[in-house]
Amino acid sequence: MKTFITGETEKFFSRFDLKRFSKGTRLINPEQKLSQVYFLKKGFAREYAISPQGNELTLHIFAPGSFFPMTWTIANIDNRYFYEAVTPLEIYSAPPSKVLEFLKNRPEILFDLTRRILIGLDKLLLRTEYLAFNRAEARICSMLLYLSRHFDELPFTHSEIASFAAVSRETASRTLEKLQKRAIIWYKSRRIVIKNKEELKKLL
């Protein structure tokens, strides 16, 4: 159910262009000159970095009701990351000047945006701890729990899970197979379903 704030935000963005993107579409590149703010009406998008060796690291997943990239919009910080459609998307795009004017005139929506940013930052810091200090299996468990906040059934391949957790595909496949044997996860129409979140948390 949409909150009043999300509904008001979508009402504002609905004055502008609505675009549709298929899964895997690159929305923003680091070197790209930005001119629009995106509001996510439907679907999920991710923000990620690529190392010099070509390894991907997912930093954040945006759910419906999110808008981005806000570090550029509010703080005028050049974007350093990639943005990509995790699922098919419907996105409104608006000029940053209009978005800033809207936020300045709606403090309750600006407060909600700040709350979202802080929650996302807390999750990012926690995941950074797991990536820095834990073995690959714990990284995958952490990523599965993170994804389960947004999806009842995870529509991702083993390669995508590996990319999200910054491990090899082979490692991801072995770990997912172990979790399946322990009845912590199972598969439904090729989608991952987490059956026992408490047992998954214990592995962390």
Side-chain angles (χ1 to χ4, degrees), residues 18 26 33-34 36-37 39 46 56 70 73 84-85 90 100-101 103 106-107 143 170 175 198:
L18 177 65
R26 182 81 57 77
K33 184 176 181 181
L34 300 175
Q36 299 288 305
V37 179
F39 174 82
R46 68 171 177 135
E56 295 183 4
M70 298 312 293
T73 305
E84 182 180 274
E90 291 185 9
L100 288 173
E101 180 182 355
L103 292 174
R106 299 302 303 268
M143 178 53 67
E170 293 74 17
T175 301
E198 292 306 313

Side-chain angles (χ1 to χ4, degrees), residues 1 5 31 45-46 79 88 92 116-117 126 129 152 155 189:
M1 186 175 188
I5 289 175
E31 69 277 6
R46 68 171 177 135
N79 173 59
Y92 290 110
R116 283 170 172 260
I117 291 173
L126 182 61
E129 286 186 46
D152 294 326
S189 301

Side-chain angles (χ1 to χ4, degrees), residues 47-62:
E47 177 184 9
Y48 66 100
I50 299 180
S51 73
Q53 295 75 31
N55 299 317
E56 295 183 4
L57 176 62
T58 296
L59 302 171
H60 186 65
I61 291 181
F62 294 94

Side-chain angles (χ1 to χ4, degrees), residues 122 138 163:
D122 181 68
S163 173

Side-chain angles (χ1 to χ4, degrees), residues 22 32 41 54 65 67-68 72 82 106 144 169 175 177:
S22 58
Q32 181 177 336
K41 178 183 179 181
F67 39 114
F68 58 86
W72 166 73
F82 297 90
R106 299 302 303 268
L144 292 176
R169 186 199 180 284
T175 301
E177 184 179 354

Side-chain angles (χ1 to χ4, degrees), residues 132-143:
F133 302 133
N134 288 282
R135 64 193 188 283
E137 180 178 296
R139 296 183 190 182
I140 294 170
C141 293
S142 172
M143 178 53 67

